[in-house]
Amino acid sequence: MTPPALRETLGAMLQSHVVTISRFLVDQQRLHPEATGAFTDLLGDIALAAKVISREVNKAGLVDILGSADDENVHGEEQQKLDVFANQVVIRALDHTGNVACMASEESEEIIPIPAKFEAGEYVVIFDPLDGSSNIDVNVSIGTIFSFHRKQSEGERGVLEDCLQPGYRQVAAGYVLYGSSTMLVYTSGAGVHGFTLDPSIGEFLLSHPHMRIPEPPSKVYSINEAYYRRWSPAQQRLVSYLKGEGGFGSRYIGSFVADIHRTLLQGGLFMYPADNVNPKGKLRLLYEAAPMAMVVEQAGGKASDGYRSLLEIVPGSLHERTPLYMGSAEFVELAEGYLAEGD
Ligand code: AHM
Ligand code: MG
């Protein structure tokens, strides 16, 4: 760290302005005398994985000059793609801790058991290690999404059914945004809190306590409008209203974490609807929709599949998809109203 940066951080710390994520988590844990510390450890491990992934994401642009993705590394193995790398980072940060019953990842077909050589714990961790990874090549923000459930089954280790729980049972959920700065945002049911990574000291610092979707919200809708012709007439009418009489503006990054982060900070309506090519939409219930639904609802917003809360849906399989409408409550309700009218 350069001396001025160090002085700045130390100065702020001495004035007690700075709260690191570890201090915040310990303070939160103190509010729950019955807590074992497992949950605090788990979030700490996610923060560690986020720092490692952030470092690699920041280096991605240098791949062309330092060696391409299909180069072989010194061990003669093919270098991994960033999303496969991120998957392994999260798994390795958690599998040996004794806190996790099993995991499920968008990158892995089946559930990820805890290796027999490690103890298993009570939490089920579900994650999308690097969402929007097709945006890496063009230097657009990407993210990691995570969610924790409690194991329900009786055995020592988690099973598939432990992963197939509805969103309302999530103990915590959140995301990491690798953007112009790296942010970790999470909720454990007592508000949404955001931390920004200070790369010079390698710490996540509390920057956005108690995040709430603003009222009144920005009138912004967010959808891939190139699919207009594939949508149902009701969906088409909704978007025609928003950009017509509704007086909405439009923003679409095409990277779910970044689009939802903007929606949290400014308000608006994010949509990834069903269409006649993808009858259940594109985004996944367990890895993308349910965790973000918990965050959005904890920030005072709403999250729906167009007809019911995303948090109520009981997943039938690990990689199930769902249509998705998220953001400011009044806008989500407006969308539900259009869909309820039918075609
Ligand atoms: P991925 O899980 O394959 O990375 O895809 C998910 C991404 C989201 O980040 C984003 O919201 C969506 O795909 C964009 O899809 P589209 O290009 O169809 O608009
Ligand atoms: Mg994804």
Side-chain angles (χ1 to χ4, degrees):
M1 180 171 17
T2 60
L6 184 61
R7 266 203 302 278
E8 209 177 294
T9 305
L10 283 175
M13 278 179 158
L14 290 173
Q15 291 168 44
S16 323
H17 288 164
V18 174
V19 178
T20 62
I21 193 166
S22 8
R23 186 167 129 200
F24 185 85
L25 292 172
V26 168
D27 287 348
Q28 294 290 308
Q29 189 187 318
R30 287 207 186 100
L31 302 175
H32 301 276
E34 75 291 352
T36 61
F39 177 74
T40 304
D41 287 350
L42 211 50
L43 265 171
D45 294 331
I46 292 279
L48 174 64
K51 286 189 234 176
V52 176
I53 297 169
S54 179
R55 186 189 61 196
E56 292 305 306
V57 166
N58 288 159
K59 283 198 306 205
L62 297 169
V63 162
D64 285 345
I65 48 175
L66 299 180
S68 80
D70 31 54
D71 272 354
E72 290 200 333
N73 68 20
V74 283
H75 305 291
E77 296 155 350
E78 228 180 54
Q79 282 188 10
Q80 291 164 339
K81 286 173 131 183
L82 214 43
D83 40 11
V84 179
F85 170 83
N87 197 35
Q88 289 185 351
V89 169
V90 178
I91 294 171
R92 291 204 181 133
L94 297 170
D95 65 358
H96 62 285
T97 59
N99 292 324
V100 181
C102 67
M103 295 181 254
S105 160
E106 203 198 75
E107 282 291 324
S108 309
E109 208 50 49
E110 312 286 344
I111 71 163
I112 304 162
I114 300 302
K117 62 182 172 186
F118 299 131
E119 269 183 45
E122 283 306 305
Y123 286 100
V124 175
V125 181
I126 297 179
F127 59 96
D128 183 349
L130 211 52
D131 182 76
S133 51
S134 63
N135 290 305
I136 296 171
D137 291 345
V138 288
N139 216 343
V140 165
S141 302
I142 48 182
T144 298
I145 308 169
F146 59 90
S147 132
F148 305 156
H149 283 272
R150 266 184 217 287
K151 176 168 77 73
Q152 302 292 328
S153 60
E154 295 297 320
E156 194 202 324
R157 275 149 209 272
V159 294
L160 176 63
E161 284 62 40
D162 292 310
C163 298
L164 301 180
Q165 300 188 54
Y168 68 80
R169 291 229 194 106
Q170 291 170 115
V171 178
Y175 61 84
V176 183
L177 173 64
Y178 311 101
S180 46
S181 53
T182 294
M183 277 195 73
L184 188 154
V185 173
Y186 89 97
T187 179
S188 55
V192 180
H193 307 288
F195 303 80
T196 302
L197 182 64
D198 180 342
S200 64
I201 55 167
E203 286 275 13
F204 278 105
L205 305 177
L206 181 62
S207 53
H208 295 63
H210 301 288
M211 294 167 77
R212 302 285 299 170
I213 298 183
E215 280 297 336
S218 299
K219 290 176 85 172
V220 167
Y221 72 92
S222 184
I223 190 168
N224 190 337
E225 209 159 339
Y227 303 144
Y228 186 88
R229 284 155 169 272
R230 303 183 190 172
W231 297 338
S232 67
Q235 178 66 38
Q236 290 178 336
R237 281 202 308 277
L238 166 64
V239 172
S240 300
Y241 165 78
L242 293 172
K243 64 185 187 184
E245 306 160 52
F248 279 56
S250 159
R251 293 279 183 283
Y252 188 69
I253 300 168
S255 188
F256 185 50
V257 176
D259 277 313
I260 293 298
H261 187 66
R262 183 199 56 249
T263 306
L264 271 184
L265 292 181
Q266 302 184 340
L269 173 62
F270 177 86
M271 298 173 268
Y272 207 114
D275 63 39
N276 60 21
V277 174
N278 298 306
K280 292 201 80 183
K282 175 183 183 186
L283 299 177
R284 319 273 179 159
L285 177 58
L286 279 172
Y287 313 107
E288 289 153 342
M292 288 306 208
M294 182 175 184
V295 172
V296 165
E297 296 218 345
Q298 278 289 316
K302 212 167 165 182
S304 164
D305 71 349
Y307 302 93
R308 59 189 161 157
S309 165
L310 281 170
L311 294 175
E312 281 168 19
I313 305 175
V314 182
S317 64
L318 278 181
H319 295 277
E320 181 171 322
R321 297 172 197 269
T322 177
L324 185 153
Y325 298 78
M326 269 189 200
S328 302
E330 59 184 293
F331 301 157
V332 174
E333 283 159 15
L334 177 79
E336 287 177 329
Y338 271 83
L339 296 181
E341 279 172 20
D343 300 331

